[in-house]
Amino acid sequence: MADSASNNPLANQGIATSATLFCNQGTAQLVELAVSRGEGLLSADGAFVVATGKHTGRSASDKFIVRDAETEHSVWWGKTNVAMTPDHFALLKADFLAEVAKRETLFVADLFGGSQPEHRVNVRVINELAWHNLFIRTLLVRPKAQELEGFSPDYTIIDLPSFRADPARHGCRSETVIAVNFSEKLILIGGTAYAGEMKKSVFGILNYLLPTKGVMPMHCSANIGSNGDTAVFFGLSGTGKTTLSADASRTLIGDDEHGWSDTAVFNFEGGCYAKMIRLSAEAEPEIYATTKRFGTVLENVVIDPVTRQIDLDDDSLAENSRGSYPIDFIPNASEENMGPVPKNIIMLTADAYGVLPPISKMTPDQAMYHFLSGYTARVAGTEIGVTEPTATFSTCFGAPFMPRHPSVYGNLLKERIAKGGVSCWLVNTGWTGGSYGTGSRMPIKATRALLNAALDGSLANAEFRKDPNFGFEVPVAVAGVDSAILDPRSTWLDKAAYDATAQKLVRQFIDNFAQFADHVDEGVRQSAPKAA
């Protein structure tokens, strides 16, 4: 049932509107509303399918944080965290509220960011689109009925895709704007229908707040073994973070955003947001099954308007087609969205240079070094004739979402690793036998066997050698794995080419880490790879 203007939960926040408010609606009601308003189509199998227009991914260059007394010295200002003045935000806020006041209909969801009660944040999201409200209700943690009574938001997000920002008036870059004000606890999103902006805004809030409580926020997936052993998987897009954590023999805590407190690893979310393009029932059956369920939202997936059949292979709307669904759509998901503190940390990298071993054991100092580096490599497949890999460094494996200086998160990680005696592994899911174009992709069967040996503890008893370039420990032999693959240099026909490529990557690591050198202790600095 909709709330009338006389029963307006926004009034206490000073948000004036005569709109009919649909507050804390369920999935069925929001789907009905979205369909009746022409926002999208129901597929033949029940999923809601919507197109987001020109924005099919995050608008990273249109995101701003208000620079004021609260954030002046707490935010890591630079290319990622770009400042907006309080005066510009005040004008933007006034114009947003003027638009809210004129709306005939608005959708409101009261939700939690974070599954562990003592570390969660209360978030109120105000939307002009019903499907956006369904999306964020799916992705965040849904309060129980009694928890909604007297709900008071800590932070508020107003998302108006139809709003058009004015760069001259609002101090932004284009008609699209994502403006975060930590002092007013308000986030304004306009000019984009890509729903992921809301999800990542809440991630940014928690990444800002939790370190002050000693809680480590992480861009990672996490699962639990049968013995209660939690594993955390850091990794950038394309490294296998979702695939490797989706193990039928282990319980999934979550696939993207987590906190590490004194007592638990807890999911920030209550849903998943998976890439859909070319998804197959054979490779990822659990995720594929969600595309055929009522309650799933499919963004930029092509649908036949007559038969309502979807085509996951068609990328004509977007390469970044997405599906959002409640985490309990995955059969082996944790009911509490939580698990014990981790026993293993896995940092995933897809090394297209073919230099890094398939698995390496790291010390806490080395783990902090590689966490701050956030390395993976991309292949230049979009440019004809170019096969040279490109190193990509995204600090903390999620630089766009980290408001504070990376050393804040790195030091938290190092402290928690030391406190819990956590084993740390670097896993290369990239190339072997040569760089991209010469070598081949690391066999997934070998990666899984090495990962299982690390997680079940058997790898701890293996014989190790020290990698001459990076200094970490590499197993010499592992049951069920071809020993030749464990020494990347031996897999190259041209050993001199391997040595030259390895040194090229070493120098890139060293050059990238220069920005962090003054913010870490000597042990971490000494964990740098060694240039010849």
Side-chain angles (χ1 to χ4, degrees):
M1 180 181 292
D3 288 303
S4 67
S6 61
N7 183 24
N8 180 356
L10 305 185
N12 291 338
Q13 296 179 255
I15 300 176
T17 182
S18 58
T20 299
L21 301 179
F22 289 89
C23 298
N24 296 313
Q25 302 290 292
T27 298
Q29 296 97 317
L30 287 169
V31 171
E32 284 177 350
L33 287 161
V35 170
S36 68
R37 289 159 53 87
E39 294 178 6
L41 298 173
L42 272 181
S43 76
D45 294 309
F48 183 74
V49 185
V50 66
T52 63
K54 70 175 183 176
H55 291 284
T56 59
R58 289 185 307 103
S59 300
S61 56
D62 292 308
K63 179 190 166 191
F64 302 87
I65 297 174
V66 175
R67 189 166 190 161
D68 57 16
E70 162 69 29
T71 58
E72 177 66 38
H73 302 295
S74 58
V75 167
W76 186 42
W77 301 107
K79 184 179 178 181
T80 299
N81 297 311
V82 180
M84 174 180 282
T85 69
D87 289 345
H88 279 133
F89 184 85
L91 292 171
L92 182 67
K93 177 182 175 182
D95 292 345
F96 255 78
L97 293 182
E99 285 296 316
V100 167
K102 293 188 292 186
R103 294 285 150 192
E104 294 183 0
T105 307
L106 289 169
F107 304 89
V108 180
D110 292 331
L111 300 158
F112 297 137
S115 299
Q116 191 168 14
E118 55 266 45
H119 299 304
R120 69 192 181 198
V121 62
N122 291 4
V123 181
R124 173 167 288 163
V125 186
I126 303 166
N127 299 110
E128 67 171 292
L129 296 176
W131 84 262
H132 266 193
N133 207 243
L134 172 61
F135 169 91
I136 199 62
R137 184 182 178 277
T138 301
L139 262 295
L140 295 188
V141 178
R142 295 164 289 283
K144 298 179 175 64
Q146 61 268 30
E147 292 174 321
L148 286 172
E149 296 175 8
F151 183 96
S152 177
D154 300 315
Y155 279 78
T156 299
I157 298 173
I158 305 176
D159 191 339
L160 305 176
S162 64
F163 183 90
R164 296 292 177 264
D166 178 349
R169 176 173 168 79
H170 300 132
C172 53
R173 190 188 66 93
S174 71
E175 291 186 337
T176 300
V177 65
I178 302 97
V180 181
N181 190 320
F182 284 112
S183 295
E184 296 191 27
K185 300 183 176 182
L186 178 63
I187 297 173
L188 305 174
I189 303 172
T192 172
Y194 181 67
E197 297 288 9
M198 292 181 285
K199 160 191 160 71
K200 289 305 183 187
S201 292
V202 176
F203 190 35
I205 291 170
L206 289 163
N207 286 334
Y208 183 75
L209 296 177
L210 290 181
T212 64
K213 302 172 68 176
V215 176
M216 171 72 186
M218 304 178 291
H219 186 215
C220 68
S221 58
N223 64 23
I224 317 168
S226 57
N227 295 323
D229 57 303
T230 297
V232 165
F233 299 78
F234 291 103
L236 299 172
S237 180
T239 58
K241 177 163 59 86
T242 299
T243 300
L244 291 171
S245 64
D247 184 331
S249 68
R250 297 175 66 86
T251 299
L252 181 69
I253 301 174
D255 76 331
D256 197 34
E257 302 169 5
H258 295 81
W260 180 355
S261 70
D262 287 338
T263 57
V265 167
F266 61 98
N267 195 346
F268 287 169
E269 303 183 303
C272 300
Y273 196 33
K275 283 188 176 180
M276 290 287 133
I277 194 68
R278 293 177 287 279
L279 188 71
S280 74
E282 293 74 30
E284 296 184 88
E286 293 88 0
I287 298 175
Y288 183 84
T290 69
T291 68
K292 299 181 178 298
R293 292 192 62 170
F294 179 80
T296 293
V297 177
L298 298 176
E299 290 177 69
N300 302 311
V301 169
V302 173
I303 183 171
D304 186 306
V306 177
T307 66
R308 304 292 179 91
Q309 296 292 332
I310 61 171
D311 184 353
L312 298 177
D313 295 325
D314 190 334
D315 64 358
S316 57
L317 287 178
E319 177 72 20
N320 187 40
S321 58
R322 292 274 180 167
S324 54
Y325 47 88
I327 194 170
D328 60 18
F329 279 16
I330 301 297
N332 62 327
S334 162
E335 290 185 15
E336 299 82 19
N337 277 2
M338 292 195 293
V341 295
K343 291 189 175 178
N344 288 279
I345 287 175
I346 297 95
M347 296 181 190
L348 301 167
T349 180
D351 176 26
Y353 290 102
V355 166
L356 293 176
I359 194 165
S360 310
K361 185 170 176 57
M362 299 183 288
T363 67
D365 282 333
Q366 289 171 335
M368 183 173 174
Y369 184 93
H370 286 275
F371 178 71
L372 289 176
S373 298
Y375 166 71
T376 193
R378 312 243 186 242
V379 295
T382 55
E383 298 180 42
I384 296 173
V386 178
T387 59
E388 179 73 12
T390 303
T392 298
F393 295 95
S394 182
T395 185
C396 307
F397 295 98
F401 322 118
M402 305 295 176
R404 297 184 183 274
H405 192 278
S407 62
V408 171
Y409 307 104
N411 282 314
L412 263 174
L413 181 70
K414 185 181 173 184
E415 289 166 13
R416 292 212 164 273
I417 288 170
K419 185 177 180 180
V422 182
S423 296
C424 302
W425 309 90
L426 184 69
V427 172
N428 174 22
T429 61
W431 272 255
T432 182
S435 297
Y436 171 80
T438 302
S440 56
R441 194 74 191 252
M442 196 73 68
I444 185 69
K445 185 177 179 181
T447 300
R448 285 201 179 277
L450 292 168
L451 195 54
N452 289 339
L455 297 183
D456 68 20
S458 60
L459 195 54
N461 300 318
E463 178 188 351
F464 287 84
R465 65 175 180 87
K466 181 172 282 193
D467 184 271
N469 296 298
F470 286 84
F472 34 52
E473 299 291 317
V474 181
V476 174
V478 178
V481 178
D482 180 2
S483 294
I485 209 172
L486 297 173
D487 181 0
R489 188 175 189 271
S490 72
T491 67
W492 285 51
L493 292 175
D494 186 340
K495 307 299 191 243
Y498 172 86
D499 292 337
T501 305
Q503 278 300 303
K504 177 182 178 180
L505 181 57
V506 164
R507 287 190 294 272
Q508 288 177 319
F509 263 90
I510 293 170
D511 290 346
N512 173 72
F513 201 82
Q515 63 186 309
F516 307 123
D518 293 338
H519 300 275
V520 299
D521 61 31
E522 185 61 21
V524 178
R525 286 193 289 270
Q526 289 299 319
S527 297
K530 300 297 184 270

